[in-house]
């Protein structure tokens, strides 16, 4: 095993012990180490980091900067053990991601979306009852379907507060929700009838009693 691979395994173990999941970063840094090994490199340099970060050439410059940032943090860790390590300067690839202006749905648009959710096909009648409520719980607190939506995560409503467990750095998130989102008696009865023994403790479940996947919530929302 190469010195860079050993250092990467240690780096990921330390960061994850602190609560960082590093799912994407971990995969990409393994690719960086593979790239470095193919170049015959045993330590990090700015040239090596920039050559990898700007792959593929068709990617957006902001993505190159993001990849370089992952290598910079890894290089900072390596520099304590390998004095030849060069930490790439932060302005080596000076592109920055510009967040687009958020689109604001009108009350009428939201009403139409929720009405459409109530008409979604379902073999068990669970989906049209679940989807409007899960959408409200996502939109109103400003949650993101990819990471904080109530469907993909373990959660439960208590006194109008949504608990989303196991979030960033292993901490839970508590989100206050409006009362209509928790008028769930019909949803609970339908879920109990369709899935008397669900395979998950999530509040929102699929027609088969499994936890909603990220893409299911993203597609519906």
């Amino acid at each position: 095993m190469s010195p860079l691979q050993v250092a990467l395994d240690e780096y990921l173990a330390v960061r994850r012990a602190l609560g960082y999941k590093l799912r994407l970063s971990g995969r990409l840094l393994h690719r960086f180490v593979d790239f470095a090994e193919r170049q015959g490199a045993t330590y990090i340099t700015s040239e090596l980091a920039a050559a990898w970060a700007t792959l593929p050439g068709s990617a957006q410059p902001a993505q190159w900067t993001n990849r370089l940032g992952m290598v910079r943090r890894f290089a900072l860790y390596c520099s304590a053990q390998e004095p030849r390590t060069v930490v790439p300067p932060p302005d080596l690839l000076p592109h920055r991601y510009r967040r687009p202006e958020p689109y604001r749905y009108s009350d009428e648009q939201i009403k139409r979306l929720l009405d459409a959710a109530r008409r979604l096909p379902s073999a068990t009648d669970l989906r049209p009852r679940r989807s409007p409520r899960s959408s409200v719980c996502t939109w109103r607190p400003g949650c993101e379907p990819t990471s904080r939506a109530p469907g993909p995560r373990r959660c439960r409503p208590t006194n109008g507060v949504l608990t989303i467990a196991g979030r960033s750095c292993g901490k839970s998130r508590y989100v206050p929700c409006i009362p209509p989102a928790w008028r769930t008696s019909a949803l609970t009865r339908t879920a109990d009838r369709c899935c008397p023994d669900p395979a998950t403790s999530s509040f929102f479940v699929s027609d088969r009693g499994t936890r909603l996947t990220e893409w299911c919530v993203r597609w519906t929302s």
Side-chain angles (χ1 to χ4, degrees):
M1 186 177 295
S2 69
L4 276 176
Q5 185 62 61
V6 172
L8 177 58
D9 290 344
E10 294 174 350
Y11 169 75
L12 293 176
V14 169
R15 294 290 303 280
R16 285 167 176 162
L18 294 173
Y20 296 95
K21 293 181 172 59
L22 300 182
R23 294 191 182 99
L24 177 60
S25 299
R27 291 196 300 269
L28 290 179
L29 285 174
H30 277 293
R31 295 178 188 176
F32 167 71
V33 169
D34 290 341
F35 174 83
E37 290 176 346
R38 290 195 299 271
Q39 304 301 313
T42 57
Y43 57 91
I44 300 173
T45 64
S46 294
E47 293 76 16
L48 181 69
W52 177 81
T54 51
L55 296 175
S58 58
Q60 293 294 323
Q63 181 62 23
W64 296 343
T65 303
N66 187 43
R67 288 161 62 95
L68 180 66
M70 298 176 189
V71 178
R72 285 193 73 252
R73 290 185 286 274
F74 176 43
L76 283 169
Y77 175 86
C78 292
S79 64
Q81 304 177 29
E82 172 53 78
R84 294 177 295 176
T85 299
V86 178
V87 179
D91 58 351
L92 182 61
L93 298 175
H95 303 283
R96 291 294 181 267
Y97 172 73
R98 299 183 183 276
R99 185 180 295 274
E101 185 70 21
Y103 180 82
R104 297 181 181 275
Y105 286 89
S106 67
D107 290 345
E108 178 60 28
Q109 289 174 316
I110 293 175
K111 181 178 181 299
R112 292 203 304 268
L113 287 170
L114 293 177
D115 288 342
R118 295 186 183 97
R119 295 192 298 270
L120 289 171
S122 174
T124 63
D125 196 37
L126 179 59
R127 190 181 181 202
R129 295 181 184 273
R130 178 201 69 223
S131 297
R133 292 172 174 84
S134 63
S135 295
V136 168
C137 294
T138 301
W139 297 336
R140 291 304 295 259
C143 293
E144 305 162 8
T146 56
S147 60
R148 296 186 177 89
R153 305 294 174 189
R154 293 190 60 186
C155 59
R156 61 183 182 277
T158 303
N159 298 324
V161 176
L162 176 69
T163 301
I164 306 177
R167 287 305 311 138
S168 301
C169 298
K171 299 178 181 179
S172 296
R173 182 182 181 190
Y174 303 98
V175 180
C177 293
I178 56 174
W182 300 120
R183 293 170 185 167
T184 56
S185 57
L187 174 63
T188 302
R189 288 196 300 270
T190 304
D192 290 343
R193 184 181 72 250
C194 300
C195 313
D197 187 23
T200 177
S201 59
S202 295
F203 181 73
F204 295 106
V205 297
S206 70
D207 289 0
R208 296 175 295 175
T210 57
R211 186 179 69 174
L212 295 179
T213 65
E214 168 188 328
W215 293 106
C216 174
V217 177
R218 181 190 287 273
W219 184 86
T220 303
S221 301

